Amino acid sequence: MEKREYRDDYREKTLYIPGPTEVREDVIEEMAQPMFGHRMDRMTDLYTTIVEDTKEFLGTENEVVILTASGTEFWEASTLNLVDEKILVPTCGSFSERHANVAERLGKDVDRLEYEWGQAVKPADIRAELESSDEQYDVVATVMNESSTGVRNPIEEIGDVVAEYPDTYFVVDAVSALGGDYVDIDEHGIDVIFASTQKAFAMPPGLAVCVVSDDAYEREVEKETSSWYGGFRRTIDYYERKGQTHSTPAIPVMLAYRKQMKYMLEEGHEARDDRHREMAAYTQEWAHEHFDMFPEAGYESQTVSCIENTQGIDVAGTIEQVSEEYDFAFSNGYGSQLGEQTFRIGHMGEHDVESIRALTDAIEDVAGL
């Protein structure tokens, strides 16, 4: 790849992709504060604030870890921290498949429970796998929001099933949902759930948020090996001792996170959930009027709509023209299986129904709907 020089004259685009999404200007401005040391008292004030505010927003008594990383870090870390041998990964799209691939790369024995893309994971199927397996699974790992297909899996019901197997831990990839789709983490026995801040948290990229149960922490303590960077014991113990991260974090992004989390607390988790639910309902209604929804009915994502291209429009051309004429960016279908068959609208973060309507009006205009 040849160098392509970064310029200073790019036109700003309103982001309706599945992340990164729109960020408040004053949140971005927080990143311009003077730099300070990651071992100063000021850092302790900052990190303890964002950790405890996150616990309050999510309504959890479990431990919260915030690291400089993408959510992908906790695919790897949770596997290293909790899995000795066997892991069950239901796959229903690109990201759940990647989770399984990560576990295989780490040398784990991976059983896939495979679904056709667009279909949702069913709790009864999880139960059947757990009951019929000759060997105990260390972990069941499920994606909450499969953004490649727009499927929202019923992780609450799946968690209730896994909770009946006390030696099996439940790990949830909520990268593109947490913060915009309410989930009662503690009530449904979720041992590990993680997200990236550039999605429904409406933050710049750069931080991964992970919620860890006491049982998951103790499980790692018992193991002989675990992740170094994302180890639960290492990160949580360091926080308890120092109120900081064990390694130098992206301080400017954490300053932005502090500001944004105050906004999220002010809105409230349930109200934020309601707003995202309204955006999803509007987008689904629009899709059914002009196209169709790709995911299985009843399992549509609350943060990313994957719309089936039943009219055979030129998806790539429409995306380009909407970008040029309206300065709006939305997304094509994800992965080789979908291509031009679908397109995706991210309705997450700071968007509302009116801003989503502006995009759908632009698509109608350009596509001649």
Side-chain angles (χ1 to χ4, degrees):
M1 173 62 73
E2 295 181 358
K3 177 183 178 181
R4 291 176 47 174
E5 188 70 32
Y6 188 85
R7 311 188 312 272
D8 295 319
D9 60 347
Y10 299 97
R11 286 163 55 185
E12 291 187 13
K13 306 290 181 180
T14 302
L15 300 178
Y16 298 92
I17 58 179
T21 188
E22 289 294 292
V23 182
R24 294 172 185 262
E25 287 189 13
D26 60 348
V27 170
I28 292 175
E29 289 168 358
E30 288 292 302
M31 295 191 292
Q33 292 189 36
M35 191 47 55
F36 52 89
H38 69 293
R39 294 293 176 241
M40 292 180 174
D41 287 344
R42 183 174 175 180
M43 186 66 221
T44 305
D45 294 345
L46 173 59
Y47 193 63
T48 57
T49 295
I50 63 174
V51 167
E52 298 305 321
D53 280 356
T54 303
K55 288 183 185 180
E56 181 181 348
F57 175 79
L58 295 176
T60 183
E61 297 296 323
N62 292 343
E63 298 295 337
V64 166
V65 177
I66 303 174
L67 290 180
T68 301
S70 70
T72 303
E73 161 63 22
F74 288 108
W75 280 349
E76 185 172 76
S78 62
T79 302
L80 289 170
N81 296 345
L82 300 178
V83 181
D84 277 332
E85 295 183 3
K86 287 184 70 69
I87 179 173
L88 175 63
V89 184
T91 59
C92 58
S94 181
F95 293 99
S96 48
E97 179 61 34
R98 285 191 199 180
H99 201 152
N101 290 341
V102 167
E104 287 177 332
R105 289 286 295 268
L106 294 172
K108 307 305 180 183
D109 184 359
V110 179
D111 280 355
R112 287 173 171 80
L113 178 58
E114 296 181 335
Y115 291 85
E116 182 179 348
W117 282 34
Q119 298 295 300
V121 179
K122 307 303 189 298
D125 295 341
I126 300 292
R127 183 184 298 279
E129 288 292 322
L130 293 174
E131 288 179 350
S132 63
S133 177
D134 293 333
E135 299 178 67
Q136 174 185 296
Y137 287 107
D138 296 315
V139 162
V140 173
T142 305
V143 65
M144 176 177 174
N145 195 71
E146 181 55 79
S147 59
S148 65
T149 62
V151 166
R152 201 286 198 183
N153 285 312
I155 60 164
E156 294 86 352
E157 291 86 348
I158 295 169
D160 293 343
V161 170
V162 177
E164 298 176 22
Y165 298 80
D167 294 325
T168 299
Y169 298 85
F170 187 35
V171 173
V172 175
D173 166 358
V175 164
S176 58
L178 200 66
D181 186 340
Y182 179 84
V183 56
D184 192 328
I185 298 168
D186 301 8
E187 177 66 22
H188 296 285
I190 299 173
D191 291 294
V192 176
I193 185 169
F194 53 88
S196 295
T197 56
Q198 76 273 15
K199 308 283 188 174
F201 280 70
M203 274 277 302
L207 298 179
V209 178
C210 185
V211 183
V212 182
S213 72
D214 291 341
D215 288 344
Y217 174 91
E218 294 299 332
R219 164 65 173 166
E220 188 207 319
V221 171
E222 295 170 359
K223 283 178 86 276
E224 294 182 359
T225 59
S226 63
S227 171
W228 191 89
Y229 186 72
F232 300 148
R233 176 167 55 176
R234 189 159 186 264
T235 54
I236 292 168
D237 285 4
Y238 201 93
Y239 177 74
E240 291 299 322
R241 293 196 313 270
K242 302 286 190 177
Q244 298 174 350
T245 56
H246 58 66
S247 300
T248 309
I251 295 171
V253 188
M254 288 188 172
L255 287 165
Y257 186 99
R258 181 196 67 86
K259 183 77 169 182
Q260 176 62 9
M261 184 50 64
K262 296 300 185 185
Y263 281 123
M264 292 171 69
L265 284 169
E266 182 179 358
E267 182 177 21
H269 200 170
E270 292 187 4
R272 197 171 180 86
D273 176 81
D274 288 342
R275 178 165 56 80
H276 282 75
R277 194 180 303 274
E278 291 170 359
M279 288 190 288
Y282 167 79
T283 310
Q284 291 162 24
E285 182 179 353
W286 177 83
H288 284 297
E289 180 182 352
H290 297 287
F291 300 95
D292 203 354
M293 292 294 293
F294 182 76
E296 179 180 356
Y299 296 94
E300 297 89 351
S301 165
Q302 194 163 295
T303 56
V304 180
S305 284
C306 185
I307 298 169
E308 188 172 2
N309 183 18
T310 54
Q311 296 212 38
I313 67 170
D314 178 355
V315 171
T318 302
I319 289 171
E320 182 177 1
Q321 194 171 345
V322 167
S323 176
E324 286 301 310
E325 295 185 12
Y326 290 90
D327 287 327
F328 295 162
F330 67 107
S331 184
N332 61 327
Y334 194 93
S336 59
Q337 293 194 36
L338 299 182
E340 287 263 318
Q341 297 177 43
T342 64
F343 60 92
R344 295 175 299 153
I345 295 174
H347 35 77
M348 61 174 72
E350 297 307 313
H351 282 298
D352 56 24
V353 170
E354 289 305 311
S355 67
I356 301 301
R357 184 178 287 112
L359 172 64
T360 56
D361 286 349
I363 295 172
E364 288 180 28
D365 179 43
V366 167
L369 301 179

